[in-house]
Structure formats: C-alpha cells, structure tokens
C-alpha cells in the first residue's frame, strides 16, 4: 500500500476520532499539599529500604540514620503514609527494560502507567473573543488577538493564548501565552522570518547562549533556580535551541524552559513547561546521597552480570496527571548513549513511584 | 458562535456565514492545509476552496459535527493540491508523514484489491480503539491533522521526544495489529 493512499484513506475515518482530538480534555488539577508531597517522599524511602536489604548482602546503613527523609522536618508521619509503594503494575521498585526502546516512556508501554500530561484542554472563551492586547516581544510591538484559554493542570496555571500580528508587515507570532493570574509570559512561537534577517554568517552558539541568558534573566523571575541542560543546533534554519530545567536541591524537575535563538540573535521561541508544578514540593529534606545509593545498588544488583551499566544520570522528579509524584533515573547501558545524547535510547529507566 | 448558528446562516444563504466559519475555524484550517501543501499561498487557496465546497453542500447537507465535516473537505482538497504540486517537492509535514509511514505498510499493491476499503477502514478504527486516548490523540494529530512533532508537543504539553516515542510505538503496534489480520506484510 502506498503511504499516500494510507494517509488519504485516513479521511474516511469516523468523525468521532476527529471530534475526540478537538474535545480532548485533561483531568482536572489535583491540589498538591505540602504534606502529601512530603509523605510521598517519605513513603518512597521507607518502602525502598526493605528492597535494599533484599537485594544486597549488607544491611542498608542509610536506613539506620533516620532514612532519606527526615520526616520531622517535613511534617510527615507514619499515619499519613501509604503502606504500599507501587511501581507501575508491578508494585515493586525495579529497573526497566534495557532494550533499544527504553526511556521514560517505558513506563507507559510496559506498565500502563500514563504519566504524560495528555492533551491541553483548550476552549474558546467567547466573552473574550474580540479582546486585543498590545504585546511587546524582542523590542517590537505586536497586535495580539485573544485566541483561547487553557485550563492546564500540568502548567500549574490557567493561561490565555494570543496570536500576535505586526500590522505593518503582517508577520505573525503564534501561541503567545500568559499566566492568566499573574500576567507572566509562558511562551510564544514566532515564525523565523519574523524579526531581523539572518545574516550570511549567523551568530555562534556561544553568542546565542548569551542572548538566551540575557532574555531569560529579564523574563523569568527565578532564573537562578534553573540549570542549563542541553543545546541543539537547528537543522533547518540557522538557529539554536537551549533547554534549562529547574533544580531543587540538586534534583532535576519537570519544570523546564526552552528558548530558541535565530542566527540573527532574536528569540524565536520561548516556552515554560510544567511551570508551577513543583511549587508545593518540599525536596529540601530529601537525602540525595541515600537516594542515589538506592538506585545505584539496584542497578548493580539486577544487571551487573548481564549488562554493562556504566553510569547513572541525575535523579529527576516528575508528576502524573493526577498529581502523583515519582522519581526516575536513566542509566546508560553498554557504554552507549543515544545520538542526541539525551539517553533516550539504549538506556534504562529506574522509576520509583508512589501511588 | 455555535456550529448550528453557522449552519443556519448557510441555510439562509448569508455570506456572513463564511466569515463566521473563518473566525471560528480559520486558524485550524490554515494549519491543516499548510502542513499538507507546504506553503501558505496554496494553503489559503485550499481553505477558500473548502469554504466554497461547504457553501455549496450546505444545504442540503446538515452535518453534525460540523468541524469534522469542514476539516475532511479541506483535507481532501489539500491532498489533491499536494498531488498536483508534488513534482516540485516542497518541504512540508505531509512529505515527512509519507516517508515515516512507508516502512510500516505492505509494498504489495494488490493488498487494496484483496481487502475492501470499508473493511480496512473498520480495522483501522478498531485499532484506534485499542489505543489510550492520549496516544490516539497523538496519532490523529500526526496522521490526520498532519501536525509536526513540535506542534503536537506544544499542544499536548509533552516533549518532542515523547511524541516521537509514542508515535514509533503506535506505528509498530499498528503494523502488528494489521499484520495479524492479514492486511500488511
């Protein structure tokens, strides 16, 4: 069958699937209380210690010093803790498959745990349909037109979307998004033909990085909490993409910033993801050394004889749609990393979930 | 304005119905068309043709849901446009889709004749029903709405890597699903 035919035949599909895409709604935001988060952290630790004992021949010394979480400082008590720690369907703390398709998504494919955020539920707010707003981006003025609002649990805020048009040139900026409550800029995407023409010799990656930092320092209120993660040189247009993540007590979180700089030094894309999602999380009481040890022990115990597990990445915090937190850690296997260096392939995921 | 009001205006042969349609669905229509034909000028033409086709078919048609009706007409027109301009090899999402889906389809040209299109459509829908709503949405955004990874990622609040991984798994799953039913090799 020719792919064109396949894609054309897709047109015969029942309307309900098209409507589903248009109307897909996320689950409503789950309010996360500090105590719940603390309890979750504590539960994670308490639940994993017996496993350490199970998989190692020596007693888990870290457990005798009060555990990874100091429950006293977080307000968590045993009464508030879940009794069982579940990891996906297995109900155990384990490492995931080491095959080529490994990655965070393993949880999704193998264990039916939907940790992704799903679709953004956007809807037209008819009362604001004609709202206009003057928007300034990159020192230029755009006539913004209200598009729709987004009620998004993942972003931790309700957002208003605008599209911006330069009335002189009809250049467009899409997806200009604001936090409805605070007015904070969440993101925008500009067509790269906007702004300054890209010179024959585009700026270097270092210069682009400086531009990105300059922009972010002005735009993001707590930029000091963000850590540079990686950069990509755009394949199609002269430009660079930089990603940062918010770090709490050395733990990578799902709050990230992406910023794209054109070869002329203009910001062509900026987006906060997961903003506000960790605001009620208190990770300061988490003992990273102990948590690292748990994961390291686990990796070595399970895979030492079968695979050459050479290193572990940072432990990362993420959150399910229902507000449940989990940590995960990606390991490289057989000394190989993926082509893009993001450890998505030929890697494994060690996840610790609390249900 | 509700879809029914637009339809009522079309029944009343009011030209304002076209403006109303454009105000409500113009942005989505242009995105769908651009992703298939690869440039804004042709896309605009397709969108206008689709509006005209809607104008000509309502009445007597009284479609529900209206958006799916409009999008299907537009998608058909854009695909025809894509075929006629194919020789120019324009860079567009649709070209990516073709390259992406090809390895998962049987090369045997007679497959279509062996299995009736209706049967194939039914199987495809059955397959879609096996997916989670999130993965089905990602799949549909990619292969029906012809959206780029970046657009899907942005719309769904997930990373492009996650989009890529989900699509890869879904294609594998689809291949297996259809293969088991003798549709693909």
């Amino acid at each position: 069958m020719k792919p064109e035919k396949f894609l054309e035949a897709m047109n015969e599909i029942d309307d309900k699937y098209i409507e589903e895409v248009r109307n897909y709604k996320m689950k409503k935001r789950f309010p996360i209380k500090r105590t719940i988060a603390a309890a979750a952290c504590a539960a994670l630790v308490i639940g994993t210690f017996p496993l350490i004992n199970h998989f190692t021949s020596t007693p888990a010394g870290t457990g005798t010093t009060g555990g990874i979480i100091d429950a006293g400082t977080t307000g968590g008590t045993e009464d508030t803790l879940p009794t069982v720690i579940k990891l996906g369907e297995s109900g155990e703390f384990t490492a995931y498959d080491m095959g080529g398709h490994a990655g965070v998504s393993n949880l999704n494919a193998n264990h039916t745990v939907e940790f992704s955020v799903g679709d953004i539920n956007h809807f037209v707010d008819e009362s604001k349909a004609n709202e206009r707003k003057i928007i300034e981006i990159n020192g230029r003025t755009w006539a913004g037109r209200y598009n729709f609002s987004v009620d998004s649990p993942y972003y931790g805020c309700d957002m208003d979307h605008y599209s911006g048009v330069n009335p002189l040139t009809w250049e467009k900026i899409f997806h200009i998004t604001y936090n409805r409550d605070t007015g904070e800029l969440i993101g925008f995407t500009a067509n790269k033909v906007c702004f300054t023409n890209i010179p024959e010799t585009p700026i270097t990656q270092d210069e682009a990085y400086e531009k990105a930092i300059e922009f972010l320092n002005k735009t993001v209120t707590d930029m000091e909490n963000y850590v540079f993660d990686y950069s990509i040189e755009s394949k199609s247009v002269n430009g660079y993409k930089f990603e940062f993540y918010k770090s709490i007590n050395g733990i990578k979180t799902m709050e990230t910033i992406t910023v794209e700089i054109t070869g002329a030094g203009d910001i062509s894309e900026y987006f906060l993801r997961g903003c506000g999602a960790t605001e009620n999380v208190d990770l300061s009481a988490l003992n990273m050394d102990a948590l690292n040890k748990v994961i390291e022990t686990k990796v070595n115990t399970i895979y030492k004889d079968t695979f050459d597990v050479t290193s572990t990445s940072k432990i990362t915090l993420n959150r399910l749609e229902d507000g449940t937190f989990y940590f995960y850690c990606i390991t490289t296997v057989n000394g190989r990393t993926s082509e893009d260096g993001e450890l998505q392939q030929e890697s494994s995921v060690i996840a610790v979930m609390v249900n | 304005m509700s879809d029914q009001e637009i339809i009522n205006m079309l029944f009343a042969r009011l030209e304002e119905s076209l403006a109303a349609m454009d105000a409500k669905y113009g942005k989505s229509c242009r995105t769908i068309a651009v992703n298939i034909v690869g440039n804004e000028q042709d896309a605009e033409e397709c969108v206008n043709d689709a509006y005209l086709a809607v104008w000509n078919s309502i009445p007597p048609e009284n479609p529900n849901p209206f958006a799916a009706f409009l999008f299907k007409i537009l998608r058909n027109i854009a695909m025809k446009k894509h075929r006629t301009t194919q020789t120019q090899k324009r860079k567009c999402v649709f070209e990516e889709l073709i390259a992406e889906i090809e390895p998962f389809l049987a090369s045997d040209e007679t497959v279509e004749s062996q299995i009736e299109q209706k049967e194939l459509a039914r199987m495809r829908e059955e397959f879609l029903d096996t997916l989670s709503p999130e993965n089905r949405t990602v799949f549909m955004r990619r292969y029906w709405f012809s959206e780029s990874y970046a657009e899907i990622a942005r719309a769904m609040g997930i990373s492009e890597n996650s989009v890529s991984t989900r699509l890869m798994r879904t294609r594998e799953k689809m291949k297996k699903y259809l293969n088991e039913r003798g549709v693909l090799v």
Side-chain angles (χ1 to χ4, degrees), chain A residues 54-76:
Chain A
H54 179 70
F55 282 103
T56 56
S57 56
T58 53
T62 49
T64 60
T65 58
I68 295 172
I69 289 282
D70 178 357
T73 63
T74 60

Side-chain angles (χ1 to χ4, degrees), chain A residues 101-115:
Chain A
H101 294 326
V104 182
S105 301
N106 281 349
L107 289 168
N108 193 8
N110 298 336
H111 302 274
T112 69
V113 177
E114 291 290 340
F115 62 87

Side-chain angles (χ1 to χ4, degrees), chain A residues 38-55:
Chain A
C41 295
L44 148 69
V45 172
I46 290 169
T48 50
F49 277 120
L51 287 162
I52 298 175
N53 286 324
H54 179 70
F55 282 103

Side-chain angles (χ1 to χ4, degrees), chain B residues 79-108:
Chain B
M79 282 185 172
K80 272 183 196 158
K81 185 84 184 169
H82 174 265
R83 272 199 300 275
T84 59
T85 56
Q86 207 175 13
T87 47
Q88 296 172 39
K89 287 287 171 198
R90 285 182 171 134
K91 173 76 182 159
C92 63
V93 179
F94 196 68
E95 290 293 339
E96 279 175 39
L97 296 188
I98 289 171
E100 189 175 293
I101 203 82
E102 194 159 22
F104 297 89
L105 301 175
S107 54
D108 184 358

